[in-house]
Amino acid sequence: MHLPPHITRLTHAGHAALQLTTRHGMAIVALHGAHLLSWVPTGQREVLWLSPQALPEPAAIRGGVPVCWPWFARQGQSASALQHGPARVNPWQVSAIHASSDDAISLSLAPCAQASHDAGFAAFAPGLQVSLRITLGETLRQTLHTRNLGSETFQLTQALHSYFAVSHAAQVGIEGLAGLPYQDRLRDLATDFQRTPFALDQACDRTYYHAPADASAEATHRYVLADPAWQRRIVIDTQGSQSVVVWNPGREGARHIIDLPDDGWQDFFCIEATNAGPDVVTLAPGAGHWLGQSLSIK
């Protein structure tokens, strides 16, 4: 496919990638996993964190924004299932370019047909079709679209697993969680409520979820990652999602992750637009679902 001047091919962190450039900033997308590796708004520092020990392909990339699909973690799957599904460890290709200007540019990606066949996507998710649209403008927008073209209902969980760069994970706050119930993966999915302002205590792996009354296709939920040391607020607006995962492995957890430096936990915080925990999408035959997030800097 011919690329317009605002999209260029390059190699970034060892991955074949596309760089999108507008007057609002720059973003880099790896074709491996349709993985967003970098987003730098004009005049700002890097927003995303990428592990210096990330493993080479075909392994999943640690950092940036992995696409977890068609399940999150191994929810609803066997213990032998691929962690976070096959989408993030297979090649994707550009399927369409939607706009080209100095103000905004948008492209769509889909898994390569041969990779989908070789990876056994049909066995993992019979009849499912997935695409990802990325738009770089005043905000950075990602939209993951799933369609069920099969004859069976599918229970979908998924995530845009964003790793945000921070000055120090123990010194940032997260707004938008107050009063929400959550499942705690570090306590065998015990449930609790966020009664106080969020702050990291050693480690965190929680799925927060909204009341069913908030569940509509148009509902948008806002979370803010406040980083006083960098004088930065990262605003995350999610859509098609009634849950959000907040994760940091902490000091001890980081020592057991091979593609993460021992002190790397300090440098990022994951706030993930998800359908996970009690927030499962039931896709009937012929149905579709959009999971989106829009990122901005204040």
Side-chain angles (χ1 to χ4, degrees), residues 65-73 84 144 157-162 245 272-276 291:
V65 185
V67 175
C68 304
W69 183 93
W71 56 80
F72 178 79
H84 290 320
L144 189 65
T157 60
Q158 57 187 337
L160 297 169
H161 193 323
S162 306
V245 169
E272 311 167 33
T274 60
N275 297 111
L291 172 66

Side-chain angles (χ1 to χ4, degrees), residues 7 38 52 58 116-117 139 155 189-190 197 222 247-248 259 261 270 293:
I7 302 179
S38 173
S116 298
H117 174 78
T139 64
Q155 301 298 311
L189 297 181
R222 171 166 289 188
W247 178 70
N248 184 287
D259 53 355
C270 287
Q293 71 173 4

Side-chain angles (χ1 to χ4, degrees), residues 119-149:
F121 273 46
F124 291 132
L128 289 198
Q129 182 184 78
V130 64
S131 63
L132 179 69
R133 182 166 175 168
I134 299 174
T135 301
L136 176 64
E138 290 189 56
T139 64
L140 190 288
R141 174 79 180 166
Q142 293 174 284
T143 306
L144 189 65
H145 184 212
T146 304
R147 295 180 62 200
N148 186 357
L149 303 180

